[in-house]
Amino acid sequence: MTLTLYYFPNTAARAVHIALEEAGAQFEPVLVDFRTNAQRSPEHLARHPSGRVPALGTPQGVLFETPAILGYLAAIFPGAGLLPADPFRAAQAMAVSCWLASTMHVAHAHGRRAARWADDPAAQEAMRAKMPANMADCATQVQGMMQGRWVLGEEWSVADAHLFTVAGWLEADGLDIADWPRLAAHRALMLERPAVQRALAREEAALAA
Ligand SMILES: N[C@@H](CCC(=O)N[C@@H](CS)C(=O)NCC(=O)O)C(=O)O
């Protein structure tokens, strides 16, 4: 099966990148270069209606939205341990992933992408000013969602790839992950995983190229 990952480093696409590596999937990574605004190009807008990453090319067409792509990968790689077989446990993992996409990611976007929500410079500045406090709130909430060292306790899932990605933005948002010890421990554990190391190395190499 041919899969194509449309990504830019250190974005939401990292969660999908990690999931592909965890599954041992064969995929073609395609950099959508934010430095040249390639996410707004007609080619990319044909893949993603809002001009965002991640998008995943599949034999049936292109998928967008991180939780949907993570769920798809779990379904096509059933032996890879991306989601538990138990429907309730799988839904618990996907609930955290959906929350990350709809709440914490959006809180983060109010920092750099305030112009999406208001034209008034003062309103944009107010959003930027509130962003660190909202992200701190989100960090506290998501730490509370963790059932153990992973989102689901002892069982790793794609929700961990998503959590690692979004919590990875805390420093850029002016916060210190050390203030959330379980998130800090989660980051350290994620960094030990070979799949995570491969994804991060590919992202770093893509930026250096
Ligand atoms: N809800 C989407 C959000 C995707 C998204 O906003 N991605 C950001 C990068 S983290 C993006 O592509 N931004 C490009 C832009 O705003 O121009 C998801 O979870 O996949």
Side-chain angles (χ1 to χ4, degrees):
M1 154 161 341
T2 310
L3 295 172
T4 308
L5 171 67
Y6 298 97
Y7 79 109
F8 189 73
N10 199 19
T11 65
R14 180 170 285 174
V16 173
H17 197 172
I18 290 170
L20 285 161
E21 286 289 351
E22 289 280 352
Q26 289 207 325
F27 65 97
E28 187 195 353
V30 173
L31 187 76
V32 178
D33 201 335
F34 283 16
R35 295 168 298 189
T36 57
N37 228 19
Q39 74 272 28
R40 306 299 311 166
S41 67
E43 286 144 278
H44 193 64
L45 284 166
R47 298 178 196 121
H48 193 302
S50 318
R52 311 265 174 92
V53 295
L56 186 78
T58 82
Q60 290 167 278
V62 182
L63 287 172
F64 56 89
E65 284 299 314
T66 304
I69 299 172
L70 294 176
Y72 170 79
L73 292 176
I76 64 169
F77 297 110
L82 299 184
L83 281 177
D86 177 71
F88 182 78
R89 301 278 294 149
Q92 284 185 314
M94 291 314 291
V96 173
S97 179
C98 289
W99 181 88
L100 287 165
S102 64
T103 304
M104 192 162 177
H105 188 155
V106 176
H108 166 79
H110 277 72
R112 289 188 206 159
R113 308 282 189 193
R116 273 186 203 156
W117 291 281
D119 294 325
D120 177 359
Q124 291 178 12
E125 189 40 47
M127 279 187 249
R128 276 191 287 274
K130 185 81 198 293
M131 180 275 290
N134 286 342
M135 282 298 278
D137 243 19
C138 285
T140 301
Q141 287 179 48
V142 78
Q143 182 172 254
M145 291 176 207
M146 294 177 70
Q147 297 179 22
R149 61 191 183 126
W150 302 121
V151 168
L152 293 180
E154 283 307 298
E155 197 172 4
W156 188 90
S157 72
V158 286
D160 293 293
H162 204 171
L163 174 57
F164 172 73
T165 298
V166 177
W169 302 332
L170 289 172
E171 279 76 12
D173 292 344
L175 301 166
D176 183 353
I177 198 168
D179 290 338
W180 293 274
R182 291 169 70 187
L183 294 184
H186 181 265
R187 178 184 288 178
L189 277 177
M190 284 292 290
L191 288 169
E192 286 173 12
R193 294 176 80 88
V196 175
Q197 292 165 8
R198 286 195 296 276
L200 294 182
R202 184 179 291 107
E203 290 191 5
E204 198 178 324
L207 280 183

